[in-house]
Amino acid sequence: MKKFFLLAAAALVVFTACTKIEEADSVPARKITFQAASYVPQTKANVSVLKEFSEFKCKAFLHAAGYTSETQNMFGANGETIKPYTSGNALVSNPTATSTDVAYWAPSHDYYWPKDESSYVNFVAWYDKNGAPTTATEASLVWTIDGSTRSLATSDNILFADEAWHFKQNTSPATYGMNGVSEGVPMLFHHALAQLCIQAKVSKATDDKSPAHTWDVTLENISLADVFNTGTLTLSNTEPSGIATQAWSGSWATSGTATDITMSDVTTPLTTTAVDVLTMQNVLPQTVTDNVILNFKYNISYKYNGNEYAHEKITAALQLNNITNAISAWEMNKKITYTITINPETTVIRIDPAMVDWEPVAGGSTSL
C-alpha cells in the first residue's frame, strides 16, 4: 500500500498600483494559509507530514491577468519557508507528529490570491533535510548528489509534492478524504529516497531433541558491496488543461563509482528475534545489480551444558538479486528490509527480502 504525506495549502496574492481601483479594493483580501491539521485519511498509508518535517519550501508561480504567458515568482526566486501556526497565529515551536495545536501552515510574510478571475498560481513544494534541489521550476525538479558539492548522508530525507496547477482560490481537499481541513490547495508529498535495513537472527539456539546442546552464533566482517551513493533525480511535469494537482514523472540515474557499506560486527550471540545489522537508513534508489553482494562471516560455537566443544567460522557471500522473491530495485518511497536467518544445526542461511511503502512486510527466502 503506497504511503503519501498530505498537506492542504491556501495561497493568495495581492496587487498594488499607483492608481487605486475602488472596485478591486471592495473585494476582501484572502491571506495565504497552509492547513495541515487533524487529517483522517481514507487509508492508513496517508499520514500527516508532521511525521516527516516541521517546515518545507514552496515556490509559487503567478500568471497574472494580461501576463498569463509570463511566469512571476510570487514567493521570490528561492521560494518561501512554510511553517506551522496555532489558531491564534503563533508559530508552533518544535512540533511533533502528535502535535494537536497546529491549525495551519504559512510563510512568515502574508500573500493573497489574485482578484482577477483570469489570473492563476502554480505551486511547487518540497522538503530537503540537508540541501535543496538544483532546479525547481513549473516543469522541472532536479536533485544532484555528486559526492563533491553534495554527499548523501544516512540521515538525508527528501520529499516532493504533486504540483498544484492553475489555482485561483481555496478548494476543498475532500479528494484526499481528509477531515479537519476546511479548504486549501492540496499537496501530496512523496519520498524521493529509499530506505534500507539489514537484520539478522537464528532459527534456533537449542537442540529440540537434546536441550543440553546449544549454539552461539555471531557475525563479523559484514559488508554490502557495490552500492551507489551518487546520482541525479530528474522529475518533469506537464501543464494540465484545468485546475488540478499532478504527479511528477522521472527517476534517479546513478553515477560515479559504487562503494561498499561496512557494518559493525555482531559480537553478542544472535537470538530468534531479529536485530539490526544495518539500522534503517536512507539510500539512493537504484537497480540491484549482480554485484550487490552481502558478505559476512558467521561464527558458530557448539556447546554442551554451556561448555564449548567445537567452533566454526563460515564465510557467506549472498547475491541479493539471485534469491527467492528477489527485489530487483530499491525504489523511491520504498522501505527495504533484508533479514538473515541462520540455522546453526543445518548451516542453512535464509534471506527474507521485503520492500514496501515505509511499512514492513514478509518476503521470500534462499538457502546457502
Side-chain angles (χ1 to χ4, degrees):
M1 183 177 295
K2 292 187 177 180
K3 172 172 284 187
F4 302 117
F5 298 87
L6 301 173
L7 276 181
L12 313 100
V13 64
V14 69
F15 300 104
T16 59
C18 295
T19 302
K20 185 176 181 180
I21 302 174
E22 296 299 331
E23 181 180 0
D25 288 349
S26 68
V27 180
R30 297 162 295 166
K31 190 178 77 171
I32 194 168
T33 58
F34 291 73
Q35 301 196 29
S38 303
Y39 285 127
V40 181
Q42 292 173 327
T43 69
K44 67 178 181 179
N46 296 332
V47 299
S48 168
V49 293
L50 284 172
K51 292 177 65 69
E52 297 291 320
F53 52 73
S54 59
E55 64 180 42
F56 66 96
K57 295 287 290 187
C58 183
K59 296 184 78 171
F61 301 95
L62 169 65
H63 295 261
Y67 301 91
T68 53
S69 61
E70 299 179 14
T71 301
Q72 302 176 51
N73 289 312
M74 188 177 78
F75 284 180
N78 296 321
E80 283 278 5
T81 299
I82 312 301
K83 297 182 179 181
Y85 290 82
T86 67
S87 58
N89 303 318
L91 182 66
V92 178
S93 300
N94 302 316
T96 66
T98 57
S99 293
T100 58
D101 54 346
V102 177
Y104 65 92
W105 298 65
S108 58
H109 177 74
D110 293 344
Y111 296 87
Y112 299 87
W113 282 114
K115 295 181 179 180
D116 194 293
E117 284 300 313
S118 62
S119 302
Y120 61 87
V121 187
N122 300 329
F123 298 91
V124 174
W126 69 89
Y127 169 78
D128 189 338
K129 181 179 180 180
N130 296 314
T134 51
T135 301
T137 68
E138 294 167 294
S140 180
L141 260 178
V142 179
W143 273 270
T144 300
I145 298 176
D146 56 14
S148 56
T149 58
R150 179 175 182 179
S151 298
L152 183 69
T154 57
S155 64
D156 261 319
N157 196 12
I158 302 172
L159 297 97
F160 54 89
D162 290 353
E163 183 166 354
W165 289 91
H166 301 156
F167 277 78
K168 303 178 180 182
Q169 60 183 355
N170 299 346
T171 61
S172 169
T175 183
Y176 294 145
M178 299 178 294
N179 292 331
V181 179
S182 59
E183 58 183 18
V185 178
M187 292 183 178
L188 185 61
F189 280 87
H190 311 263
H191 286 99
L193 298 174
Q195 284 192 317
L196 178 65
C197 175
I198 297 176
Q199 299 181 327
K201 65 178 182 177
V202 291
S203 59
K204 59 169 62 179
T206 302
D207 190 325
D208 297 333
K209 297 180 180 179
S210 179
H213 290 272
T214 59
W215 304 275
D216 284 350
V217 179
T218 60
L219 305 181
E220 62 180 63
N221 298 341
I222 315 164
S223 67
L224 185 59
D226 221 54
V227 177
F228 284 96
N229 58 15
T230 54
T232 298
L233 172 62
T234 303
L235 300 173
S236 61
N237 215 306
T238 304
E239 185 174 11
S241 58
I243 299 173
T245 56
Q246 185 157 278
W248 295 84
S249 61
S251 61
W252 284 91
T254 55
S255 61
T257 303
T259 59
D260 293 354
I261 297 177
T262 302
M263 293 155 254
S264 300
D265 295 345
V266 180
T267 56
T268 302
L270 297 173
T271 68
T272 54
T273 301
V275 297
D276 287 350
V277 176
L278 176 68
T279 303
M280 187 70 73
Q281 64 183 48
N282 288 341
V283 295
L284 205 69
Q286 58 196 276
T287 300
V288 181
T289 68
D290 293 346
N291 297 324
V292 180
I293 297 174
L294 181 61
N295 298 290
F296 60 93
K297 293 180 180 180
Y298 60 103
N299 299 282
I300 301 181
S301 174
Y302 301 89
K303 295 182 177 180
Y304 182 75
N305 284 332
N307 297 312
E308 182 179 270
Y309 63 87
H311 193 105
E312 283 189 281
K313 180 179 291 188
I314 304 168
T315 299
L318 306 175
Q319 187 176 321
L320 293 188
N321 68 351
N322 192 30
I323 61 177
T324 303
N325 295 333
I327 295 168
S328 60
W330 303 336
E331 301 175 1
M332 287 192 293
N333 205 38
K334 300 290 186 181
K335 175 183 286 188
I336 302 99
T337 301
Y338 293 97
T339 303
I340 308 167
T341 303
I342 299 173
N343 186 331
E345 185 175 33
T346 62
T347 68
V348 170
I349 296 177
R350 299 188 184 280
I351 298 291
D352 295 327
M355 181 172 68
V356 293
D357 294 325
W358 261 216
E359 293 177 339
V361 70
S365 64
T366 187
S367 298
L368 181 68

